Amino acid sequence: MQAQTGFRFRCYPTAAQAQILLRWIGCQRFIYNAKVTEDRYYRKFARKALDQTGIYPPVDQQYSRYIHPDLTPWLKEVPSQVLRNGAVRWRQAYARYFQGLGGRPVIRKKIGRQAVWLTSELFVFHPIVDTKTGEVLGNRLTVGNRKFAVGDILFNAHKDYRIPNSIRIGIEGGQWFLSFSNEDLSQVPDEAETVEWLRKFSEEELLARTFGGDRGVEIPLAGNHGETFDFEPIQKDRMAKKVCQTKRYQRKMARQRTQAVKEKRPLGANYRKTKKRLAKSHQYGKNVREDFAHKTSRAIVHNAQNLLMVYEDLNVEGMTKKPKAKKDENGKWAKNRAAAKAGLSKKILTAAWGKTVTFTKYKAIKAGKLCIKINPYQTSQECAECGHIHPDNRVSQSEFVCQACGHQDNADHNAGRVIARRGVRLLLSGGYKPKEVKRCGIFRQKAVEVIGPVRSESTPGESIVSHVIGNGAMQGTWNQEPFPVREETPATTA
Ligand SMILES: [Zn+2]
């Protein structure tokens, strides 16, 4: 089995480049949304006739009908590939729907993360060669074609990557990113094979090599071997501040909105400014949580001692619900600020929890290990020594004392052990079945299969590049294989 690896690097387009890219993003979204709207029209109004005539809504990637010299002249100001890719994205989304992997494509909104998908006609990675040693130091990313040139975009590659066949350039919370994915060349064992292999261990042996993670509010993650994972103090501090800041901006935006309505004018530039700031303050917490999830999952999976990772299958939705309203003695609504705050911090944590599990899962697969989820029912009340379950066992938030055998432990540690044991038993009893991975054929087209003078075998885009600061800021040294240059390699396909 081959794993798919994703990469996401920060990139730094200039103001002029950013403007062009934003136009590309907008036009690609326009085509996508035009396809969605058209499809809805067909299904809503023309469906009755369709059965009679035998004509069905077209699921194709034609888009030329949306280009109109008077109505949509701006579509002529972007490369045609950008528009075509919008249509292709829509068709791919539809293919996923047909495969049962998702819903029908929906309208893409202008808010949140925005990106444009570029195929190899519109970008090229030029190798940067050290003139003295002939070593390849990294890559320069040039975007655009002859007619619509964007130029070199700086990007920061923080890890090794292979040159992809298509990329996405996008913006989120005011930060630009470059992302792509390619197939990992290293073969990793199938999940079923890993399960088979782990079943050969005895319960005792496997328990010693299992990580059971208890997700808590005090400590985000505690392990069964006494490990704890937490945010840095400064991160906690800043996140708390950002929460206040976010609220302030939200209030400000509401005020500006009301003001605009009062004065009967459209929303002004200051409103947009506040909106941008709000997005930025959201971004910080998101980055911190992602960073935490990556570091934690890496530490767990790359610990040679751990072969099996077990988490609770938590109902995230239920946990992030609003806290219940309280009434005081007179029957009036009482303020429940404490509860609101707890709900909030929980919300922050849940986001980090979910990501930690997701990341552990894919990292485990890559490492030939296994990550499973177990039923979380009463994990915090069960004794790890004798298995006695009672609410009284949990003396306080952090203390656990078994009422049957007197076993005393830190509550999170005890829960971690219970989770680990449940996971081991689930696996050994055969109760765990690996999920079959459904994939959509359309995504797995390889560059080699595409025949043509431009994309022949000379552009496999699969050479390993050591990590470098994007455009030529040459830092560090690395060893690597010679890099195939696109122009110089002869097209071997007949
Ligand atoms: Zn006990």
Side-chain angles (χ1 to χ4, degrees), residues 383 386 402 405 407:
C383 173
C386 69
C402 178
C405 73
H407 169 64

Side-chain angles (χ1 to χ4, degrees), residues 228-475:
T228 53
F229 301 92
D230 202 350
F231 296 103
E232 309 263 336
I234 184 124
Q235 289 177 330
K236 280 186 192 170
D237 228 41
R238 282 182 185 155
M239 272 203 280
K241 273 183 193 154
K242 290 282 173 192
V243 169
C244 297
Q245 201 182 52
T246 318
K247 293 216 156 152
R248 204 164 62 232
Y249 286 140
Q250 278 166 345
R251 278 198 299 270
K252 197 171 178 185
M253 267 171 75
R255 208 163 54 230
Q256 284 166 338
R257 217 179 295 131
T258 359
Q259 193 66 27
V261 172
K262 227 188 236 170
E263 292 171 17
K264 289 178 184 163
R265 59 169 172 82
L267 295 165
N270 282 330
Y271 176 82
R272 281 198 296 277
K273 242 185 252 171
T274 323
K275 204 173 164 186
K276 260 186 192 168
R277 287 189 185 136
L278 177 66
K280 214 173 172 182
S281 66
H282 273 308
Q283 194 65 28
Y284 176 79
K286 198 178 169 235
N287 288 347
V288 168
R289 287 192 291 274
E290 202 157 285
D291 176 69
F292 170 80
H294 268 303
K295 283 178 179 162
T296 309
S297 56
R298 192 191 152 85
I300 294 164
V301 174
H302 286 224
N303 184 346
Q305 193 61 37
N306 298 336
L307 295 179
L308 175 67
M309 274 64 71
V310 189
Y311 292 105
E312 289 166 291
D313 196 357
L314 291 180
N315 171 11
V316 173
E317 215 169 289
M319 301 192 71
T320 48
K321 261 187 197 160
K322 273 187 190 167
K324 266 186 193 163
K326 276 181 198 162
K327 276 186 179 175
D328 60 10
E329 301 104 58
N330 308 325
K332 282 186 177 173
W333 296 113
K335 282 184 181 174
N336 58 348
R337 260 192 87 72
K341 242 184 181 171
L344 192 70
S345 60
K346 235 181 191 180
K347 202 167 182 176
I348 290 170
L349 278 167
T350 349
W353 289 339
K355 272 185 181 161
T356 310
V357 176
T358 320
F359 293 169
T360 312
K361 217 158 197 173
Y362 90 80
K363 284 183 173 122
I365 289 171
K366 268 186 170 178
K369 296 176 180 184
L370 189 64
C371 173
I372 61 173
K373 285 182 184 173
I374 51 107
N375 183 358
Y377 188 61
Q378 289 176 334
T379 40
S380 60
Q381 298 171 7
E382 189 178 322
C383 173
E385 288 292 330
C386 69
H388 175 66
I389 300 175
H390 201 275
D392 293 347
N393 286 354
R394 189 78 180 253
V395 180
S396 70
Q397 178 68 33
S398 62
E399 221 184 325
F400 184 94
V401 179
C402 178
Q403 303 298 315
C405 73
H407 169 64
Q408 275 188 25
D409 202 351
N410 172 288
D412 293 327
H413 181 224
N414 180 71
R417 285 179 64 194
V418 172
I419 290 165
R421 201 178 51 210
R422 282 195 196 181
V424 168
R425 287 195 179 155
L426 179 73
L427 189 76
L428 293 180
S429 67
Y432 177 75
K433 293 270 177 302
K435 238 189 199 169
E436 212 174 293
V437 186
K438 265 195 190 174
R439 291 184 101 164
C440 218
I442 201 161
F443 294 109
R444 293 170 65 83
Q445 216 172 41
K446 282 183 185 150
V448 184
E449 289 160 11
V450 183
I451 296 167
V454 190
R455 286 187 287 166
S456 64
E457 281 171 38
S458 60
T459 54
E462 299 288 301
S463 50
I464 292 165
V465 181
S466 288
H467 72 271
V468 211
I469 308 292
N471 281 3
M474 300 172 186
Q475 291 184 355

